[in-house]
Amino acid sequence: MSSILLATILASPVGAADPHRLALQISDDDPAKMRAVLDIAANVSRYYSGRGEEVDIVVVAFNGGLDLLLEDRSPVRERMANFAKAMPNVSFVACGNTLDALTAKEGRRPPLMAKARVVEAGVAALLEFSEKKWTIVRP
């Protein structure tokens, strides 16, 4: 399933009529940085919407940033629920390597939020986004 999501996101070539594409990286377990990533996603989404242009935004979470997407401990859980409703153009990707390491450390797989999808390696996903001409930002 993770390969399908990534392939779908990366499949379209970039052209004049294509949406803008932004990948946001979150790798820190700092709630302020998590809020900043969500602020940026919301602001960019509203900006292009206001111009009548499409934008696809993906938030890639790995290392400590994975907490953003964990149902049982995300410091921005309520805000994430609002994103699912208000901004369908914003998607969330969890690093499978980080999730596996956390599972081994805690003895159980922590639950992900419903909107989150897992890819094998978050950094590799960012590299692939970059190769497909997505803009990568690390707030």
Side-chain angles (χ1 to χ4, degrees), residues 3-71:
S3 299
I4 294 170
L5 172 69
L6 193 56
T8 301
I9 290 172
L10 296 175
S12 302
V14 177
D18 289 331
H20 301 277
R21 293 181 171 100
L22 174 63
L24 296 168
Q25 170 186 331
I26 182 69
S27 56
D28 300 309
D29 65 356
D30 180 352
K33 288 186 180 182
M34 291 177 192
R35 286 189 297 275
V37 163
L38 297 178
D39 289 344
I40 291 166
N43 291 339
V44 169
S45 182
R46 281 192 296 267
Y47 173 81
Y48 284 110
S49 176
R51 294 177 61 173
E53 298 176 30
E54 291 183 46
V55 61
D56 290 331
I57 302 169
V58 61
V59 176
V60 180
F62 60 95
N63 289 338
L66 187 66
D67 282 3
L68 172 85
L69 302 176
L70 298 180
E71 185 64 46

Side-chain angles (χ1 to χ4, degrees), residues 27-135:
S27 56
D28 300 309
D29 65 356
D30 180 352
K33 288 186 180 182
M34 291 177 192
R35 286 189 297 275
V37 163
L38 297 178
D39 289 344
I40 291 166
N43 291 339
V44 169
S45 182
R46 281 192 296 267
Y47 173 81
Y48 284 110
S49 176
R51 294 177 61 173
E53 298 176 30
E54 291 183 46
V55 61
D56 290 331
I57 302 169
V58 61
V59 176
V60 180
F62 60 95
N63 289 338
L66 187 66
D67 282 3
L68 172 85
L69 302 176
L70 298 180
E71 185 64 46
D72 63 348
R73 70 188 84 168
S74 175
V76 292
R77 181 177 27 249
E78 286 182 31
R79 189 149 180 225
M80 290 292 294
N82 292 333
F83 259 78
K85 296 173 190 171
M87 297 194 189
N89 63 320
V90 179
S91 59
F92 296 89
V93 173
C95 174
N97 289 333
T98 302
L99 190 57
D100 290 346
L102 196 54
T103 299
K105 179 181 175 184
E106 296 182 358
R108 68 171 183 92
R109 181 181 168 129
L112 286 173
M113 293 183 182
K115 192 165 181 169
R117 300 293 171 254
V118 179
V119 296
E120 186 174 343
V123 174
L126 286 169
L127 178 60
E128 291 177 17
F129 284 125
S130 176
E131 290 169 348
K132 297 292 184 180
K133 308 295 185 217
W134 285 61
T135 298

